[in-house]
Structures are given as structure tokens and as C-alpha cells.
Amino acid sequence: MNIAYPYTIEPQPEGGFLVQFADLEEAFTEGETEEQAAFNAAEVLTAVLAQRIEDGDAIPLPQEAQGRPVAVPDAPVQAALLLHFARQGHTLSELARAMGTSWPAVQRLMKPGNPTLKQLERAAAALGKRLVLSLE
């Protein structure tokens, strides 16, 4: 699964570019150049998704890009979201039992932070998944 959310980028009459995410209505930003707007898009995406995780709010799967540019949240938020989406249908208690760890330890994995690769691998295996890393 790839956690990449598409956005629109529109030049503004007064200069600069406006970025808006279709999947996350509260996620929007701007930049003086397209490059700055794209950088800001990743920053605001990270902040909005981290806040939704913290608040326990619904997090939609990203839409298909359909030729639109995409932004990717930072690695700690990506890790939390990958576990969030992969564990659908499994309680934290079930995941904790499958991993042989405590409920609080699993709860910490579900929030943006600094999980180790070993923790992520164990969680993925407990969910019948395999951890795959890539650099883009």
C-alpha cells in the first residue's frame, strides 16, 4: 500500500500556487513556486494526518491520483497509517496477543512516533503482511 494523497495545484491571480487535497478538506496550503507548494503540501498532509490519528478521527484511503500530483506524509505518520489500514477488522488486543506484547505497546505503534523496524515487522507479520521499504 502506498500512502500518497493526490492534490490539485492552481496558480493564483496575485501570484503563487494554491494546493488542496480532495480526501482531506482541512488540508490546504500554498507556495510562491510550484516546488515550494509541493513541499508545503507534504508538510500540511503530515500535520493533518497526525492530528486525525491523535484525535481518533476517520482517515480516508487516498484516491487514485488520475494524473494529479501526490504528497506523502513523513515516515512516522506513514508507519502509523499503514498499521491503521492493515489492522482493519482486528482489535488492538488481538494484535497485541498475536505480537506477544502488551496492549499499550501496540497502542504506541498506532501513533506517529519512532517505532523500530523490528516492531513494524512484528506488527506486519501478526497482521499477515510483510514490511517493505522503498526510497523514492
Side-chain angles (χ1 to χ4, degrees):
M1 167 178 261
N2 189 1
I3 306 293
Y5 285 83
Y7 62 87
T8 59
I9 184 166
E10 297 176 19
Q12 298 301 291
E14 64 278 0
F17 295 86
L18 174 67
V19 170
Q20 294 180 296
F21 289 88
D23 297 310
L24 304 157
E25 64 184 37
E26 73 273 32
F28 59 91
T29 189
E30 61 186 7
E32 290 297 317
T33 65
E34 286 189 60
E35 294 79 20
Q36 185 183 43
F39 177 85
N40 293 344
E43 294 289 310
V44 77
L45 178 65
T46 295
V48 165
L49 291 172
Q51 190 63 54
R52 282 191 176 208
I53 292 167
E54 185 66 32
D55 294 345
D57 292 342
I59 300 169
L61 286 167
Q63 296 178 9
E64 292 287 325
Q66 299 177 344
R68 293 176 289 181
V70 296
V72 178
D74 69 13
V77 170
Q78 283 185 61
L81 286 176
L82 287 170
L83 288 176
H84 170 80
F85 292 135
R87 82 167 189 94
Q88 297 304 310
H90 301 283
T91 66
L92 290 180
S93 297
E94 291 170 336
L95 182 54
R97 277 192 295 280
M99 290 177 64
T101 191
S102 68
W103 184 87
V106 171
Q107 188 178 34
R108 282 190 300 275
L109 278 178
M110 302 304 293
K111 296 185 183 230
N114 296 307
T116 66
L117 288 177
K118 185 173 184 160
Q119 289 170 317
L120 292 173
E121 286 176 323
R122 287 180 57 212
L127 293 166
K129 306 281 184 186
R130 186 171 61 92
L131 178 66
V132 178
L133 300 175
S134 71
L135 295 174
E136 297 180 9

